[in-house]
Amino acid sequence: MKIFTTKQISEIDRYTIEHEPIADIDLMERASLQMVNWLVINCSNEKKVVVFAGPGNNGGDALAIARMMAEYDFQVDVFLLDFGKELKGSPLINWNRLEEQNKVSLCKIRTEKDIPELSEKNVVIDGLFGSGLSRPLEGLTATLVKKINARNALVVAVDIPSGLMGEDNSKNIQEQIVQADFTLTLQFPKISFLFPENEKFLGKWEVLPIGLHPEGIAKTESLYGLISQNCVTQMLPKRSVFGHKGIYGHALLIAGSYGKMGAAILASKACLRAGVGLLTTHVPRLGCTIIQTSVPEAMASFDQHDTMFTEFPDLEQFDVVGIGPGLNQKPNSQRALFQLLETATKHMVIDADALNILALHPEWLEEIPQNSILTPHPGEFTRLVGMSNNSFERLQLQKKFSEKYKVIIVLKGAYSSISLPDGRIYFNSTGNPGMATAGSGDVLTGIILGLLSQGIKPEEAAIAGVFVHGLAGDIAKKEKSEFGLIASDIIDNLSRAFLEII
């Protein structure tokens, strides 16, 4: 799914109106009906619906919702923000329709005294301002938002919580943004929905289709996308009846150190479950028994050092190289990583302490083979790329880093973002909070390495790997719960994840 900026969404709206063709008021009616269908299913008509509407199109949607909810025998009160200007266009039409219907209490908010008291017996519909907002709310509107946020009522936002901007909220005022329990967004999620600091405003969000013109969507280019299962299905190669381990790639995984051999085991198992033909795991010499006992399917290469990474085998025999899980940052390991970067010509997957070492030596970044995949969590990313004040700013840093060094960055977390050297960014749509557990990142490294070894394009290995990793976690959650899920559960459910996709 393409994800668009709020400006682009407005352009697609206009394209739909012109080319379907459909009148603006009828498109508003279609959108409102979708939201009403959700509300009727999810809200009790024993509670009074309190609708707050602004003077723009978001308010027009809210007014249409009020009329339709009244037709379903909900008790509805409407409060329209009145700044002393006449309503125009579709919002005016919907206000007039409410007056003609005569089933809804209609009030206007001109001063703070006009703001109603709210209770747990209300369902609040927030239709004050939409995604086109470009500055923080202020004055009467800010006061109204604070009153809504102080309520015990259930709050449902129309398209986007009022006060929240669709992309960059770095100059916004958090206290003046509606904190919704549910957000019913139209056709596409907004980019700001994918940032952790905005969760408290959005609550649970759901995308409702409103039939925007497919040609308008196709013609509008976007650097952003949300990964879908169908997309990943097309990326995974179909296996030949005559296939054998020699054609599915030989991966080298450099992992593990004293006290951290578990990371090498997890990454190795995940790599094998992702379909690698052959895997050699390079570990410290004292890890010999551990890796060969725990992962009998993997071949082992042993470092001359007992407890850490200090060297690597001849790279000619390998198709791809992964490094990082369970390493350390000792000087010997730092030197060995630099030698590896100087020697390697094939794609790499770089994770964990390998990233932390690179953060200590930013001049080594130029040595990374192009289209290699780096998989930092937010802390590793900050050490590598630098501080940012918010997620939107961090996303811009991620994009610039990928473009500058010609590498793929997988920034891990909810809605993991995958930035490509050409400026495109994809967000993952699978995964759950139970995956925030030790070893989950090692599993992801193994999955991506296993896919990459099979000749899949690096960008597709990253995209598919992140999706499959999250899907396996979602399958595990059904049995283990978010609290009981561990990294091994993700590996155990990789086969089920692939069965769903292929």
Side-chain angles (χ1 to χ4, degrees):
M1 179 193 293
K2 288 181 179 180
I3 303 176
F4 299 102
T5 64
T6 53
K7 183 179 179 182
Q8 288 176 311
I9 294 172
S10 296
E11 291 168 357
I12 295 169
D13 280 346
R14 284 195 294 272
Y15 188 97
T16 301
I17 290 167
E18 292 171 8
H19 292 82
E20 186 170 333
I22 184 172
D24 177 66
I25 185 65
D26 293 328
L27 184 59
M28 186 175 287
E29 194 81 357
R30 193 155 75 191
S32 301
L33 180 59
Q34 285 282 51
M35 287 183 274
V36 168
N37 288 340
W38 188 96
L39 289 163
V40 169
I41 292 170
N42 291 280
C43 298
S44 169
N45 63 2
E46 294 179 0
K47 293 189 174 185
K48 179 187 285 187
V49 177
V50 180
V51 176
F52 291 104
N57 283 340
N58 193 254
D61 288 334
L63 296 175
I65 289 168
R67 171 171 44 81
M68 294 178 193
M69 294 293 284
E71 293 295 342
Y72 280 104
D73 294 325
F74 282 78
Q75 185 180 356
V76 183
D77 290 350
V78 168
F79 292 86
L80 176 69
L81 267 178
D82 185 356
F83 296 115
K85 296 180 181 179
E86 280 189 53
L87 278 182
K88 295 180 181 179
S90 296
L92 175 60
I93 292 172
N94 277 322
W95 179 265
N96 291 337
R97 286 176 177 177
L98 280 169
E99 290 182 326
E100 292 168 9
Q101 183 195 45
N102 199 29
K103 287 186 176 182
V104 172
S105 170
L106 297 174
C107 304
K108 293 186 177 182
I109 296 177
R110 296 185 176 94
T111 69
E112 187 175 340
K113 293 180 181 179
D114 299 323
I115 300 173
E117 294 296 322
L118 301 170
S119 75
E120 69 278 357
K121 295 180 180 180
N122 299 138
V123 174
V124 173
I125 306 298
D126 164 33
L128 294 170
F129 291 95
S131 57
L133 201 68
S134 59
R135 63 179 185 272
L137 299 179
E138 58 186 10
L140 180 61
T141 309
T143 301
L144 174 54
V145 166
K146 290 175 183 176
K147 293 253 186 177
I148 292 173
N149 288 344
R151 89 300 179 194
N152 293 317
L154 180 79
V155 177
V156 181
V158 174
D159 196 34
I160 189 170
S162 293
L164 186 67
M165 299 172 198
E167 292 88 43
D168 184 6
N169 283 272
S170 58
K171 296 181 180 179
N172 213 336
I173 302 172
Q174 296 201 354
E175 295 76 19
Q176 294 168 195
I177 303 172
V178 167
Q179 296 175 9
D181 297 292
F182 295 94
T183 299
L184 305 180
T185 195
L186 303 174
Q187 195 76 41
F188 314 102
K190 313 303 181 279
I191 293 168
S192 61
F193 288 14
L194 307 173
F195 300 149
E197 60 264 35
N198 296 330
E199 180 183 17
K200 63 184 175 183
F201 308 120
L202 296 159
K204 294 181 179 178
W205 55 270
E206 189 169 334
V207 178
L208 302 180
I210 60 170
L212 294 184
H213 204 294
E215 192 174 281
I217 296 170
K219 283 185 173 182
T220 305
E221 294 185 2
S222 177
L223 291 174
Y224 303 100
L226 190 65
I227 304 167
S228 68
Q229 183 166 314
N230 181 58
C231 166
V232 173
T233 299
Q234 295 175 43
M235 291 176 177
L236 297 179
K238 301 294 183 287
R239 293 210 160 194
S240 167
V241 173
F242 299 99
H244 55 83
K245 63 185 179 183
I247 67 171
Y248 295 121
H250 189 174
L252 171 65
L253 173 65
I254 301 170
S257 62
Y258 185 74
K260 297 181 181 178
M261 284 302 300
I265 293 166
L266 291 169
S268 296
K269 286 185 174 181
C271 184
L272 288 159
R273 285 290 185 194
V276 67
L278 293 162
L279 171 65
T280 295
T281 302
H282 180 86
V283 297
R285 192 169 62 85
L286 290 183
C288 169
T289 303
I290 296 172
I291 196 70
Q292 295 213 292
T293 303
S294 302
V295 194
E297 298 89 349
M299 296 179 286
S301 165
F302 306 116
D303 203 283
Q304 64 179 344
H305 199 284
D306 285 349
T307 62
M308 71 177 75
F309 162 58
T310 65
E311 61 179 358
F312 51 90
D314 182 4
L315 300 182
E316 281 300 314
Q317 60 188 307
F318 304 109
D319 297 296
V320 291
V321 179
I323 183 169
L327 292 189
N328 58 52
Q329 300 177 50
K330 300 286 180 61
N332 285 351
S333 295
Q334 292 185 35
R335 282 193 292 270
L337 176 59
F338 179 67
Q339 290 165 2
L340 178 67
L341 293 173
E342 278 192 315
T343 306
T345 58
K346 294 162 186 175
H347 299 130
M348 298 180 67
V349 182
I350 305 174
D351 185 31
D353 270 336
L355 295 172
N356 290 326
I357 292 171
L358 286 173
L360 296 173
H361 301 280
E363 68 276 11
W364 295 358
L365 294 170
E366 298 284 358
E367 303 292 336
I368 300 173
Q370 288 190 8
N371 288 308
S372 289
I373 302 166
L374 283 59
T375 60
H377 60 54
E380 291 162 348
F381 180 83
T382 297
R383 287 190 285 274
L384 186 67
V385 179
M387 289 292 297
S388 54
N389 296 312
N390 56 71
S391 295
F392 184 79
E393 185 178 305
R394 186 176 66 185
L395 191 68
Q396 306 315 305
L397 290 176
Q398 180 184 350
K399 179 175 178 289
K400 290 177 182 176
F401 190 93
S402 285
E403 291 172 335
K404 179 178 180 180
Y405 294 106
K406 307 300 180 188
V407 294
I408 297 162
I409 300 285
V410 175
L411 181 52
K412 295 180 288 195
Y415 306 110
S416 295
S417 54
I418 302 157
S419 55
L420 307 183
D422 63 5
R424 286 178 293 158
I425 296 176
Y426 292 92
F427 295 93
N428 188 37
S429 58
T430 58
N432 63 81
M435 297 174 71
T437 184
S440 180
D442 303 321
V443 173
L444 177 61
T445 296
I447 294 169
I448 294 174
L449 184 65
L451 294 174
L452 190 62
S453 72
Q454 297 170 64
I456 300 174
K457 293 177 182 178
E459 65 182 64
E460 295 184 351
I463 291 169
V466 170
F467 185 91
V468 172
H469 178 255
L471 180 58
D474 289 340
I475 295 169
K477 170 188 165 183
K478 294 174 184 177
E479 180 184 352
K480 305 292 185 180
S481 81
E482 289 181 355
F483 287 93
L485 197 155
I486 60 174
S488 294
D489 297 327
I490 302 172
I491 297 171
D492 292 343
N493 285 281
L494 278 174
S495 296
R496 294 183 181 91
F498 281 114
L499 281 172
E500 282 198 21
I501 294 169
I502 298 174

